[in-house]
Amino acid sequence: MPAPHVLILGGTTEARRLAEALTGTPWRVTTSLAGRVAAPRALPGAVRVGGFGGTDGLTAWLRAHHVAALVDATHPFAATMSFHAAGAAAAAGVPLLALRRPGWTRAPGDDWHDAASLDEAASLLPALGTRVFLTTGRTGLAAFTGHPGLWFLVRAVDPPEPPLPARAEVLLDRGPFTLEGERALLARHRVDLLVTKDSGGAATAPKLTAAREAGIPVVVVRRPPVPGGVPEAADPADALDWLAALAP
């Protein structure tokens, strides 16, 4: 009997850890990456890079490769792919699990300002600070180009897509980050405002602690809506339990 095939829609730490944990189990693993990171970390099992061509393309791939389980472990802000996954899983009759890390929660002393989008986040900046640490990723930076009087430190894994704010310094770096390092970075660049997406997880959370300690306000972009009715796991261990229940 061939090994059951699980497709992990990846690109996150949780996806990589799940693929690693499935090594030596009855499951045959394929991890799909969108291809937005130029040099992704090595993964066990098979790896495919690039889109599927929407819901129909993913449905066809699930059927052609005899996928027995689909795990959506994409980034919390990759909402379009999550909707494609829900539609394709339903069409192909494949069980679907969403592996989503919990969002961050406020701590005493936090000065957080919620925003529903990058555009709304940008509109809040002039009233909050002048030297902005921007950690929203390499795309969508055009939303921040309307404030020539502000200075931005843009941190991303790969070079960000233009246009960028007129006064911007780019810092290419990949987490996990340390609290000591984030403290030093904020002080070195005289940052007085942090902008981030609510990505959750521990790898990039130290910046929030460093901002709280320094009394720096934080603009937090809320997560987009996700498909309803999809079972969720908060960590790879829960996802392993779900897959173990499906394995023949």
Side-chain angles (χ1 to χ4, degrees):
M1 184 177 186
H5 188 189
V6 56
L7 174 64
I8 301 173
L9 304 178
T12 59
T13 300
E14 290 75 18
R16 177 171 50 82
R17 289 177 178 167
L18 178 58
E20 291 170 348
L22 286 168
T23 302
T25 71
W27 289 94
R28 176 168 62 93
V29 180
T30 299
T31 300
S32 175
L33 302 176
R36 293 181 179 175
V37 176
R41 289 171 173 161
L43 288 163
V47 178
R48 72 172 303 279
V49 178
F52 290 94
T55 301
D56 291 344
L58 179 54
T59 301
W61 201 96
L62 295 176
R63 289 171 173 161
H65 292 82
H66 307 289
V67 172
L70 176 62
V71 178
D72 174 15
T74 55
H75 192 275
F77 282 80
T80 298
M81 191 65 227
S82 292
F83 279 96
H84 289 172
V94 174
L96 170 65
L97 177 74
L99 175 52
R100 295 196 181 100
R101 69 182 77 143
W104 290 315
T105 56
R106 296 173 190 253
D110 280 329
D111 181 12
W112 284 13
H113 303 260
D114 292 334
S117 65
L118 292 178
D119 287 334
E120 184 177 341
S123 72
L124 300 176
L125 302 189
L128 296 173
T130 59
R131 295 184 65 82
V132 185
F133 183 24
L134 194 55
T135 65
T136 57
R138 62 186 293 266
T139 62
L141 300 182
F144 300 94
T145 58
H147 300 297
L150 305 184
W151 178 89
F152 293 84
L153 175 64
V154 180
R155 183 166 70 188
V157 176
D158 292 316
E161 295 181 359
L164 273 66
R167 301 174 61 210
E169 178 178 334
V170 175
L171 173 62
L172 299 182
D173 203 357
R174 186 200 299 263
F177 301 103
T178 66
L179 178 56
E180 181 180 359
E182 299 293 62
R183 287 170 176 157
L185 185 147
L186 296 182
R188 182 167 64 253
H189 294 279
R190 295 179 288 116
V191 168
D192 61 11
L193 176 58
L194 168 64
V195 182
T196 185
K197 292 178 177 177
D198 183 15
S199 299
T204 59
K207 64 189 174 188
L208 301 173
T209 303
R212 179 170 62 250
E213 292 177 349
I216 293 172
V218 182
V219 177
V220 181
V221 181
R222 296 193 298 271
R223 295 182 175 188
V226 294
V230 178
E232 295 192 10
D235 56 48
D238 290 339
L240 279 174
D241 291 341
W242 181 81
L243 287 167
L246 292 178

